[in-house]
């Protein structure tokens, strides 16, 4: 069985566009769970551009499935995670100027530091996952640093324009997934996945969980549009003063 964690960051992006209180990512998380999601993923970024600290605290109370916190491996974030205790921490690289996470974590380049952060979180009972590119050296380093799982970055695959590029990326993802499973790591995947491009990734047996955000939120905004407009028309037409 393959499971799905729904990333609700971009519900918060819409809220933050107006600095108001709707739509609320907490409501989206509840609805995603009602829809069958196996987990809820949120990324508390250093600049708090979408998810806020309040969201994380409330999610911890409300989410009944698995709460996966994506975060940079800073001491501020590690302290927040130790306090809130999500069901999993996914360590991601973070740059202020990026629109979304760009590329995977360089585990081999900061292995001592990541080993220390991982140990701290895992000794508090929080399993740690690393978001990495499909690269064998990074898979080996993730195992060495003590991660329980890796999330393979499917960003490059999803951006590939032609069949040749896609095939090349699929091969890299397959090789990284096989190596990780061989080492006893759980294997997840995410970034840029859509209702269409996930089909090839589903053939990779070792991948047991997907983190998908933008495409689901985009679709939700479309499939709900007709109903939302109908409801506003109903309010207008039934309250017109002649
Ligand atoms: N996995 C990680 C580590 C991410 O940073 C993101 C984006 O927040 C996702 C998965 C989901 O990517 P998308 O929104 O493109 O589905």
């Amino acid at each position: 069985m393959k499971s799905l964690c729904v990333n609700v960051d971009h519900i918060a992006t819409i809220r933050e566009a107006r600095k108001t209180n709707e739509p609320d990512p907490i409501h989206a998380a509840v609805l995603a769970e009602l829809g069958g999601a196996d987990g809820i993923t949120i990324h508390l970024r250093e600049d708090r551009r979408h998810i806020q600290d309040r969201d994380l605290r409330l999610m911890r109370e409300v989410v009944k499935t698995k709460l996966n916190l994506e975060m940079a491996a800073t001491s501020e974030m590690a302290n927040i995670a130790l306090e809130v205790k999500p069901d999993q921490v996914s360590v991601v690289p973070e740059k202020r100027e990026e629109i979304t996470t760009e590329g995977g974590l360089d585990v081999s380049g900061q292995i001592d530091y990541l080993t220390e952060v991982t140990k701290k979180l895992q000794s508090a009972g929080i399993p740690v996952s690393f978001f990495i590119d499909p690269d064998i050296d990074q898979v080996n380093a993730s195992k060495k640093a003590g991660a329980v799982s890796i999330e393979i970055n499917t960003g490059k695959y999803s951006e590939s324009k032609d069949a040749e590029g896609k095939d090349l990326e699929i091969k890299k993802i397959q090789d990284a997934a096989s190596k990780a499973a061989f080492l006893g790591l759980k294997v997840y995947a995410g970034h840029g996945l859509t209702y269409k491009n996930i089909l090839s990734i589903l053939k990779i047996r070792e991948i047991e969980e997907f983190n998908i955000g933008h495409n689901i939120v985009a679709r939700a905004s479309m499939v709900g549009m007709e109903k939302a407009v109908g409801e506003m028309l109903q309010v207008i037409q039934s309250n017109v003063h002649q």
Side-chain angles (χ1 to χ4, degrees), residues 83-140:
E83 193 192 321
V84 176
K85 292 217 163 62
D87 299 303
Q88 177 178 288
V89 157
S90 293
V91 181
V92 298
E94 199 174 298
K95 287 193 222 126
R96 259 179 194 268
E97 63 278 13
E98 69 192 358
I99 292 173
T100 181
T101 312
E102 286 169 5
L105 195 65
D106 178 13
V107 184
S108 40
Q110 46 181 337
I111 193 150
D112 292 342
Y113 178 68
L114 288 174
T115 303
E116 196 184 306
V117 176
T118 302
K119 202 181 272 174
K120 213 187 227 180
L121 292 167
Q122 290 190 159
S123 52
I126 308 167
V128 173
S129 186
F130 289 160
F131 178 66
I132 58 169
D133 289 331
D135 176 305
I136 300 296
D137 288 344
Q138 297 296 345
V139 173
N140 285 327

Side-chain angles (χ1 to χ4, degrees), residues 17-206:
R18 286 289 175 94
K19 297 279 175 215
T20 178
N21 60 5
E22 64 177 9
D24 195 323
I26 309 297
H27 295 171
V30 170
L31 292 171
E33 286 189 326
L34 282 173
D38 301 289
I40 301 297
T41 295
I42 49 173
H43 185 174
L44 185 67
R45 295 186 75 102
E46 193 192 1
D47 63 8
R48 309 296 198 270
R49 68 173 70 157
H50 39 53
I51 292 296
Q52 305 296 311
D53 297 69
R54 161 265 187 207
D55 300 327
L56 172 61
R57 284 196 307 276
L58 286 175
M59 290 280 179
R60 177 61 299 179
E61 288 185 36
V62 167
V63 168
K64 301 279 188 295
T65 52
K66 164 179 167 179
L67 177 60
N68 175 34
L69 173 64
E70 286 178 7
M71 53 169 241
T74 61
S75 51
E76 182 207 5
M77 288 301 156
N79 287 336
I80 291 173
L82 289 170
E83 193 192 321
V84 176
K85 292 217 163 62
D87 299 303
Q88 177 178 288
V89 157
S90 293
V91 181
V92 298
E94 199 174 298
K95 287 193 222 126
R96 259 179 194 268
E97 63 278 13
E98 69 192 358
I99 292 173
T100 181
T101 312
E102 286 169 5
L105 195 65
D106 178 13
V107 184
S108 40
Q110 46 181 337
I111 193 150
D112 292 342
Y113 178 68
L114 288 174
T115 303
E116 196 184 306
V117 176
T118 302
K119 202 181 272 174
K120 213 187 227 180
L121 292 167
Q122 290 190 159
S123 52
I126 308 167
V128 173
S129 186
F130 289 160
F131 178 66
I132 58 169
D133 289 331
D135 176 305
I136 300 296
D137 288 344
Q138 297 296 345
V139 173
N140 285 327
S142 300
K143 177 68 184 175
K144 227 173 168 183
V148 169
S149 56
I150 55 158
E151 178 181 348
I152 300 177
N153 178 11
T154 50
K156 255 205 171 146
Y157 159 73
S158 69
E159 283 161 15
S160 303
K161 299 273 180 278
D162 50 40
E164 205 184 349
K166 277 199 194 313
D167 288 350
L168 191 73
E169 288 305 318
I170 287 285
K171 167 133 187 25
K172 285 190 205 164
I173 296 168
Q174 175 66 75
D175 290 348
S178 302
K179 178 71 184 182
F182 175 76
L183 294 174
L185 292 161
K186 290 183 186 176
V187 188
Y188 309 146
H191 214 278
L193 293 178
T194 68
Y195 294 81
K196 281 188 184 160
N197 71 17
I198 197 171
L199 297 177
S200 304
I201 304 282
L202 284 168
K203 293 180 189 150
I204 301 176
R205 192 179 40 82
E206 292 86 349

